[in-house]
Amino acid sequence: MISHSINQAYIQLSLEDNVGVATRALIKGEILNAKIDLRAATDIPSMHKVALRDISAGQEIKKYQQIIVLASKSIKAGEHIHSHNCSVGKFTTNYQYSTDLKNIHEPPAHPQRTFLGYKRKSGKSGTRNYIGILTSV
């Protein structure tokens, strides 16, 4: 299962990721994570990526446990990650989909049938569902 970390400043989608996504605009010098002594090294716009640890030039930048791009130069922890320090390059990857899914809700062996309606005085059933038709041009 993909592990993640969420705090007020950023979301780390997987513990293997070396970037987080800023949940709001981050200010240079702001403490992002006191446990790992991480501070914003630059101003970072909301929803942009922030380096969670040092990344060497040419190193893979990972988000969702996947390589999304390569670092075009060395990036320090807390720096803004964007087009100015990223590049597209060749790398090998093993694409797999839904490998960590776990069925956490088993349906009952004999599903109960339900009906969202009401019983009429005549003994027949009725519903309160309406069909609306909207027209547009």
Side-chain angles (χ1 to χ4, degrees):
M1 179 166 23
I2 295 177
S3 302
H4 65 278
S5 172
I6 302 174
N7 69 28
Q8 292 181 347
Y10 65 88
I11 298 171
Q12 182 181 6
L13 298 170
S14 167
L15 296 177
E16 293 179 26
D17 295 350
N18 53 8
V19 300
V21 178
T23 57
R24 56 181 167 71
L26 306 175
I27 308 300
K28 180 180 179 175
E30 177 181 349
I31 297 172
L32 305 181
N33 188 330
K35 290 181 183 177
I36 59 173
D37 194 29
L38 178 65
R39 292 177 179 268
T42 58
D43 289 342
I44 301 169
S46 178
M47 303 311 295
H48 281 235
K49 290 177 287 304
V50 57
L52 301 180
R53 50 188 164 271
D54 292 346
I55 302 170
S56 304
Q59 186 178 345
E60 301 162 343
I61 295 176
K62 287 189 172 185
K63 182 176 168 188
Y64 312 110
Q65 293 181 330
Q66 299 295 318
I67 302 165
I68 59 169
V69 74
L70 301 175
S72 61
K73 59 184 180 179
S74 292
I75 303 169
K76 297 287 185 192
E79 285 186 5
H80 182 204
I81 294 180
H82 203 53
S83 57
H84 67 282
N85 54 10
C86 295
S87 66
V88 178
K90 290 187 178 186
F91 53 86
T92 57
T93 187
N94 181 12
Y95 289 110
Q96 296 179 2
Y97 299 95
S98 303
T99 57
D100 289 335
L101 291 179
K102 307 238 181 324
N103 191 353
I104 58 171
H105 173 27
E106 291 290 328
H110 301 288
Q112 292 181 330
R113 295 179 186 225
T114 61
F115 175 67
L116 296 176
Y118 61 94
K119 191 171 186 176
R120 297 177 187 265
K121 290 179 184 177
S122 66
K124 294 184 176 184
S125 59
T127 65
R128 289 185 170 81
N129 297 332
Y130 296 96
I131 297 175
I133 300 174
L134 302 175
T135 60
S136 66
V137 263

